[in-house]
Amino acid sequence: LDVGQTKKLSVTILPERMAGEKLTWASSDESICTVTQEGVVKGVTVGTATVSVKVRSGYTAYATIRVGLGGGDPESRSFGECAELNETFSYDHLRYKVSGPGTLILLGRDQTSNETPKDVIIPTSISYKGKDWFVTTIGRRAFLSDRNLNSIVIPNSVKTIGTRAFWNCTWLKSITLPDSIEYICDRAFYSVDGAMGLRIPAKVKYIGNGAFEWSNLETACLPDTLIEIGNEAFMNCMDLKEATIPDSVKAFGTGIFMECKNLEYAELPN
């Protein structure tokens, strides 16, 4: 791109039934180029930066953008620089999957392991094939109805909690949630009703349908980073007493606080 020039990037999502999945675009250096949430890149100053596009599951594609340096169209990296893409491996009784250059999805328990630890500490990074990989996503159904899970510590490398990741973990007594989490997908903490430490992360951008439904969440003072709240996000949270929704929220679901019978105070956006 030239300085001041714009170009819309395209992305192909497979399988086709997932084509409507919400995308999140980002630039590695906005002083060189910016990108809108529609995928329109604009050159700002001479240099090279990387634009990424991510779906909620954590899968990410990349393009290298050269501004004022010639070279024609953006260089698509996608997963070309990640030969290990989609490879799975086990570490410390858990199963992981390579989701992109340097990133991992935690899939859940290693079903071939002879041990099932009740107290789980997820590492920030793991060495695999001579490289360091960072755990960025707790995968879909990773610990669904896990009767053996007593406590879990999630590292500050994680940005996404997948759909039903901790669904019906009624035996979970303690959870450590970092403020790095940006996406809490549908029913991620459904019926997590006895865990100390369950809270709203300070940088969350998206809370999915029923994300905290039937949980023991006591306060829902949502941060001003939040953009979207799904249907019934806090439905039947019987311990919930206080809630604040910031002006930053642009999309609201229905029944967000339905049947929260002990809710005493709620502050809503203008």
Side-chain angles (χ1 to χ4, degrees):
L1 298 178
D2 292 326
V3 173
Q5 182 183 359
T6 60
K7 183 177 182 67
K8 184 174 176 60
L9 302 183
S10 61
V11 59
T12 301
I13 299 177
L14 297 173
E16 292 183 357
R17 61 184 173 80
M18 302 298 291
E21 185 80 2
K22 184 176 180 179
L23 304 176
T24 300
W25 295 83
S27 169
S28 65
D29 190 341
E30 292 192 341
S31 68
I32 294 175
C33 71
T34 61
V35 61
T36 69
Q37 291 308 303
E38 289 72 42
V40 178
V41 178
K42 181 178 181 180
V44 179
T45 58
V46 175
T48 300
T50 299
V51 166
S52 63
V53 57
K54 181 174 72 172
V55 294
R56 290 175 186 167
S57 63
Y59 286 105
T60 307
Y62 302 82
T64 299
I65 309 296
R66 295 180 293 271
V67 179
L69 300 174
D73 292 335
E75 175 190 349
S76 175
R77 289 173 55 202
S78 293
F79 299 108
E81 294 184 13
C82 183
E84 302 85 355
L85 179 68
N86 290 331
E87 290 184 11
T88 61
F89 64 93
S90 296
Y91 177 82
D92 198 18
H93 312 294
L94 298 174
R95 196 80 179 152
Y96 296 90
K97 182 177 182 178
V98 176
S99 57
T103 61
L104 298 173
I105 294 176
L106 170 59
L107 298 177
R109 302 273 195 184
D110 179 3
Q111 300 301 320
T112 65
S113 175
N114 293 325
E115 297 183 36
T116 306
K118 292 182 178 295
D119 301 305
V120 174
I121 300 177
I122 301 170
T124 300
S125 64
I126 300 170
S127 179
Y128 173 64
K129 290 191 172 180
K131 302 177 183 178
D132 288 332
W133 303 83
F134 291 86
V135 182
T136 59
T137 300
I138 309 300
R140 182 175 180 267
R141 298 188 175 194
F143 295 95
L144 182 140
S145 292
D146 192 329
R147 293 172 177 262
N148 294 302
L149 189 63
N150 182 68
S151 70
I152 189 165
V153 176
I154 299 173
N156 60 13
S157 57
V158 170
K159 294 187 176 182
T160 301
I161 306 294
T163 298
R164 301 193 181 193
F166 296 95
W167 188 88
N168 201 36
C169 283
T170 57
W171 298 268
L172 183 61
K173 301 304 179 187
S174 175
I175 186 168
T176 299
L177 294 175
D179 285 331
S180 59
I181 294 172
E182 297 180 354
Y183 301 92
I184 300 175
C185 297
D186 295 353
R187 292 173 175 79
F189 297 106
Y190 179 96
S191 202
V192 176
D193 58 2
M196 293 180 59
L198 189 65
R199 65 185 184 90
I200 306 296
K203 297 179 182 179
V204 68
K205 297 178 180 179
Y206 171 84
I207 296 176
N209 299 328
F212 291 92
E213 186 176 351
W214 283 112
S215 75
N216 65 322
L217 196 70
E218 295 183 357
T219 62
C221 295
L222 308 178
D224 58 12
T225 55
L226 187 64
I227 298 172
E228 182 176 346
I229 307 175
N231 299 327
E232 302 165 0
F234 303 99
M235 181 177 174
N236 284 311
C237 287
M238 297 305 179
D239 295 332
L240 189 63
K241 295 180 175 61
E242 180 181 1
T244 302
I245 299 180
D247 291 335
S248 60
V249 177
K250 306 302 180 185
F252 297 87
T254 60
I256 294 174
F257 297 110
M258 186 182 296
E259 297 298 327
C260 292
K261 297 180 179 180
N262 294 308
L263 185 62
E264 299 172 353
Y265 174 81
E267 185 173 331
L268 304 178
N270 295 326

